[in-house]
Amino acid sequence: MIQIKSLYLRVVLTFLAIVVVSLSVAFWLATFFFMNRIAMDNQTEMLAKSRQIVKLIEDVQPSNLDSFVAGSNRLNENYIFTLFNANGEPATEISKDKKGKPRILASEVDFVLHGNMYKSLDYGIPKDPINQIKVGIPLRVGDTTYALFIHQNISEAARRQGQTAIITVLLIVLIVGSLLILVASRYLVNPLKKLTLATERLARGNFNVHVSVKQKDELGQLAQSFNHMAGELKQLEQMRQDFVSNVSHEIQSPLTSIRGFSKALRGSEIDEAERGRYLEIIERESERLARLSDNLLKLASLESEHHPFHPTTYDLDEQLRRIVVFYEPQWSSKQLELDLELPRVKVTADADQLSQVWMNLLGNAIKFTPVKGTIHIQLEPLNDRIRIRIQDSGIGIAASDQERIFERFYKADASRHRETGGSGLGLAIVRKIVELHHGTIELQSEIDIGTLFTVTIPILIYPTKK
């Protein structure tokens, strides 16, 4: 069995099959439903013609009845009149059908001679209503009874010509329909071909693909969905490349320091003070690698669907105070002034995760606030939510960087981050934790004036069911 793999060919053949079947069924149904009407109309007209002839004969009383009927045949091209005498003998030769059988049977003639009217439709609709319908009427002239039959005078050549005309029309419809189907099928299949080529390019890693389809139907919607998917995949690929590049860079920098100072320690000419400084650098860079690894694992876990979420009810104000105390060595060494507005507020949330949020935000505030600066922490209870503001008088964030500051590995000022040892993951972790708690985080900042982070979370926070 031949398998048709081309969608275009399959659509064309399907449409052609539908056209052929439709024409055949339509022709058969039309013939079937109009056959009765055609037959009834023909028989009614024959009855009218035969009654006219009978009335004319009865009025005129011709001496030669056979000649009168023969003259009527010459005057009527569409009908043939056949007269039978009382013995059932025809005055003229009985016409025959295409199979050679006489169109008028002896039994039908005998039926009419007994004074009955014969109508062929009383015995069912014939297969060929044009040539097989006939009417017989008894005719009485003097004391003699005759049988007058009438049927249509359609020649076989005319019949075939009519059939040829019908078949020709059907063939023209089939050919024109086929040509239109070829054009329409190409119109339908071309967008699918474009989508197929674009999909192959996408599978090879080329995300700069765009399918242009003019249709506004389902194919157009499919093309729009494909273009949207390609754009999303391109963005994901760019994020993947940026992520790999940033991770490689963040890892390579401390590894280079560790490798270089490790080689330097092998030399015997360095003194103890220099050796201690090298060891301190190696330890600091090792801790930096450890923090990077922990942050990557933590961010990956937060973005997964199975990150543990353990809500408990606790005092949020006490948690913020403990974090402030934890960072006391850092802000004391920089002589920073901390202003706290922490009314007592209870919250139901994951304490460990929110602690990570406050540590990152307060740590950044301390890190980027110059000596003798100020940091303000405000806790404001609302109806069903809590607003926490952490504001500093630090170096600020440029407006062009504020939209991307929560992206992983993004650093508003790379030189300052290198000085402070940041990896660019802290704020990405903060935003993810806030989102897991169904909250929001907002940023307001001006260069050399300061930065304000506003976190708003519900009072009651429970894990989202997956």
Side-chain angles (χ1 to χ4, degrees), residues 123-167:
Y123 303 93
I125 300 177
K127 294 182 179 180
D128 186 2
I130 295 178
N131 292 316
Q132 292 182 358
I133 292 179
K134 53 196 170 186
V135 173
I137 297 179
L139 173 64
R140 192 168 183 81
V141 178
D143 296 332
T144 307
T145 301
Y146 296 90
L148 180 64
F149 277 82
I150 181 175
H151 60 80
Q152 284 187 313
N153 183 23
I154 304 297
S155 65
E156 186 66 22
R159 184 173 179 273
R160 290 181 178 177
Q161 186 176 5
Q163 292 178 344
T164 302
I166 294 175
I167 294 174

Side-chain angles (χ1 to χ4, degrees), residues 93 133 138 140 213 216 242 276 303 308 320 387 411 428 457:
E93 183 179 358
I133 292 179
R140 192 168 183 81
V213 177
K216 303 299 182 181
D242 292 343
E303 292 179 345
L320 290 170
R387 181 178 295 137
K411 300 177 182 180
I457 57 175

Side-chain angles (χ1 to χ4, degrees), residues 103-256:
R103 291 187 175 180
I104 305 173
L105 303 178
S107 59
E108 298 169 348
V109 175
D110 185 66
F111 179 77
V112 175
L113 288 175
H114 282 79
N116 303 307
M117 181 181 294
Y118 178 84
K119 295 182 289 186
S120 59
L121 285 184
D122 292 343
Y123 303 93
I125 300 177
K127 294 182 179 180
D128 186 2
I130 295 178
N131 292 316
Q132 292 182 358
I133 292 179
K134 53 196 170 186
V135 173
I137 297 179
L139 173 64
R140 192 168 183 81
V141 178
D143 296 332
T144 307
T145 301
Y146 296 90
L148 180 64
F149 277 82
I150 181 175
H151 60 80
Q152 284 187 313
N153 183 23
I154 304 297
S155 65
E156 186 66 22
R159 184 173 179 273
R160 290 181 178 177
Q161 186 176 5
Q163 292 178 344
T164 302
I166 294 175
I167 294 174
T168 302
V169 172
L170 293 178
L171 288 176
I172 292 174
V173 172
L174 180 61
I175 293 173
V176 173
S178 301
L179 293 176
L180 294 177
I181 287 170
L182 289 173
V183 176
S185 300
R186 187 175 296 277
Y187 176 78
L188 292 174
V189 173
N190 276 343
L192 296 178
K193 289 184 177 179
K194 292 181 180 179
L195 285 171
T196 301
L197 295 175
T199 303
E200 292 176 353
R201 293 171 58 190
L202 196 65
R204 290 194 295 266
N206 182 5
F207 298 100
N208 295 316
V209 293
H210 180 81
V211 179
S212 178
V213 177
K214 297 180 180 179
Q215 289 95 323
K216 303 299 182 181
D217 52 10
E218 287 81 359
L219 289 175
Q221 294 177 1
L222 179 61
Q224 291 180 0
S225 299
F226 177 86
N227 293 332
H228 178 71
M229 178 191 68
E232 293 293 325
L233 290 175
K234 181 180 179 181
Q235 185 176 359
L236 287 175
E237 176 63 17
Q238 185 63 43
M239 291 175 62
R240 185 192 67 82
Q241 293 178 1
D242 292 343
F243 178 79
V244 172
S245 176
N246 290 329
V247 170
S248 300
H249 174 75
E250 291 296 332
I251 292 177
Q252 186 65 32
S253 179
L255 284 179
T256 301

Side-chain angles (χ1 to χ4, degrees), residues 36-51:
N36 188 28
R37 173 59 60 186
I38 294 173
M40 290 296 295
D41 291 344
N42 288 341
Q43 181 172 272
T44 301
E45 188 174 356
M46 289 179 187
L47 281 173
K49 291 288 184 182
S50 61
R51 287 194 177 102

Side-chain angles (χ1 to χ4, degrees), residues 377-418:
I377 302 176
Q378 181 187 24
L379 178 58
E380 181 183 3
L382 304 175
N383 291 331
D384 59 344
R385 307 182 77 80
I386 305 169
R387 181 178 295 137
I388 303 94
R389 292 187 178 93
I390 299 179
Q391 185 173 10
D392 62 60
S393 59
I395 59 177
I397 302 172
S400 59
D401 296 323
Q402 292 181 18
E403 293 183 358
R404 301 188 59 191
I405 198 66
F406 293 103
E407 295 179 9
R408 64 183 72 183
F409 291 110
Y410 185 80
K411 300 177 182 180
D413 191 329
S415 62
R416 292 175 177 176
H417 273 275
R418 280 196 297 270

